[in-house]
Amino acid sequence: KTVNSLGHSYLRLRKFSLSEDIYNRGLNFSKKRLKDIKYTALSFRALAMVEIEREEFKLARKYYYKALDIYKKRFKKGSREFIEIDSCFAYLEKKRGDIDLAEKLYKKVILSYKSLNRKEPLVYNLDIIDSLNRLANLYLLNREKSHVEAEIKLFEAISLAKKVKEIESKEVNRLLVESYNSLAYLALLENNEQSAWNYYKKANDLK
């Protein structure tokens, strides 16, 4: 975890070579020292993120498939890990510019989490909220998509957030801030400054 945190910090600073080096150290450590192969999969996913930021999408996809191969050996199909990989591929396609495929994958992710939620009510609400925010932001980036579609997803995210347990309130607040900020941006696109102001205020009140 410490290695991945350091690698993520370098990635945020856009120091890609340093980030890649740290993640490769984590990969080697997980292969040699850790019995649970899921950590090896996480290292492959982290390396994929580096390549996405470098716009080396083929290599990023290769790393994601390596992680997926591990999940196939370790987890049942339809588990959280498989859904997370779909979300990773959705983000890759978004960065690659294939908005239609990214949309299709994010919708699949949301439906998959909702399916798990039917077995364990509310457990996956945070994951659904995060995915709804990502899908809404995808709509905001795509001029061909209706703003109404983005608005519907954001209000659904806010509605779900209100159902989440108190113990998860900190994470809920972070996701709510994202939803309100996106609604504010949407209002500005429609030249509705008063609504934008109100949404930004709601977001700031949660910080």
Side-chain angles (χ1 to χ4, degrees), residues 150-207:
E151 193 171 34
I152 289 170
K153 299 303 178 187
L154 291 168
F155 280 125
E156 184 181 350
I158 291 169
S159 176
L160 276 175
K162 294 176 180 177
K163 299 178 182 178
V164 178
K165 299 174 184 177
E166 186 67 27
I167 194 171
E168 298 167 325
S169 61
K170 185 176 180 181
E171 180 65 9
V172 170
N173 282 354
R174 182 185 71 79
L175 294 170
L176 272 172
V177 167
E178 287 184 16
S179 297
Y180 283 129
N181 280 335
S182 293
L183 282 169
Y185 177 71
L186 181 58
L188 287 175
L189 289 178
E190 296 173 348
N191 297 315
N192 192 336
E193 292 186 8
Q194 185 59 53
S195 290
W197 172 271
N198 291 337
Y199 286 131
Y200 278 135
K201 187 177 185 305
K202 288 183 178 182
N204 288 328
D205 288 343
L206 290 168
K207 292 180 181 179

Side-chain angles (χ1 to χ4, degrees), residues 2-16 18-19 22-23:
T2 302
V3 169
N4 280 338
S5 295
L6 182 57
H8 182 65
S9 296
Y10 280 132
L11 183 59
R12 290 183 65 184
L13 292 169
R14 302 190 67 77
K15 295 184 177 182
F16 301 136
L18 287 172
S19 181
I22 293 295
Y23 285 140

Side-chain angles (χ1 to χ4, degrees), residues 17-29:
S17 294
L18 287 172
S19 181
E20 181 182 27
D21 180 60
I22 293 295
Y23 285 140
N24 272 318
R25 286 191 219 174
L27 177 62
N28 292 330
F29 182 82

Side-chain angles (χ1 to χ4, degrees), residues 1-190:
K1 289 182 178 180
T2 302
V3 169
N4 280 338
S5 295
L6 182 57
H8 182 65
S9 296
Y10 280 132
L11 183 59
R12 290 183 65 184
L13 292 169
R14 302 190 67 77
K15 295 184 177 182
F16 301 136
S17 294
L18 287 172
S19 181
E20 181 182 27
D21 180 60
I22 293 295
Y23 285 140
N24 272 318
R25 286 191 219 174
L27 177 62
N28 292 330
F29 182 82
S30 67
K31 285 181 175 180
K32 293 177 181 179
R33 303 286 185 86
L34 301 178
K35 295 180 180 179
D36 195 336
I37 58 175
K38 73 178 181 182
Y39 294 108
T40 302
L42 288 173
S43 294
F44 282 130
R45 286 171 57 178
L47 285 165
M49 288 299 297
V50 176
E51 299 309 328
I52 287 174
E53 294 307 312
R54 284 174 166 166
E55 298 187 356
E56 295 289 345
F57 301 118
K58 287 184 179 180
L59 185 52
R61 185 176 280 106
K62 180 180 176 181
Y63 282 133
Y64 279 145
Y65 275 119
K66 286 186 176 183
L68 180 59
D69 287 341
I70 290 172
Y71 289 154
K72 286 178 180 178
K73 297 174 184 176
R74 175 73 168 73
F75 302 103
K76 292 182 179 179
K77 190 174 181 180
S79 67
R80 178 195 287 272
E81 288 73 20
F82 282 90
I83 303 173
E84 287 177 354
I85 279 291
D86 281 335
S87 185
C88 289
F89 278 118
Y91 179 73
L92 187 154
E93 296 305 333
K94 173 189 172 184
K95 296 290 284 186
R96 200 171 67 85
D98 193 335
I99 302 300
D100 289 338
L101 182 52
E103 177 189 7
K104 182 179 178 180
L105 287 168
Y106 277 131
K107 284 182 174 180
K108 179 183 176 184
V109 167
I110 292 166
L111 288 174
S112 297
Y113 277 130
K114 285 182 176 179
S115 178
L116 290 182
N117 241 13
R118 284 195 285 273
K119 300 174 184 176
E120 300 178 78
L122 302 182
V123 171
Y124 298 95
N125 269 13
L126 289 178
D127 300 292
I128 296 170
I129 294 164
D130 183 54
S131 300
L132 285 167
N133 280 338
R134 290 174 184 270
L135 181 57
N137 286 329
L138 194 69
Y139 288 153
L140 291 174
L141 288 173
N142 189 352
R143 293 179 180 177
E144 295 181 4
K145 293 294 180 182
S146 167
H147 289 168
V148 174
E149 291 181 78
E151 193 171 34
I152 289 170
K153 299 303 178 187
L154 291 168
F155 280 125
E156 184 181 350
I158 291 169
S159 176
L160 276 175
K162 294 176 180 177
K163 299 178 182 178
V164 178
K165 299 174 184 177
E166 186 67 27
I167 194 171
E168 298 167 325
S169 61
K170 185 176 180 181
E171 180 65 9
V172 170
N173 282 354
R174 182 185 71 79
L175 294 170
L176 272 172
V177 167
E178 287 184 16
S179 297
Y180 283 129
N181 280 335
S182 293
L183 282 169
Y185 177 71
L186 181 58
L188 287 175
L189 289 178
E190 296 173 348

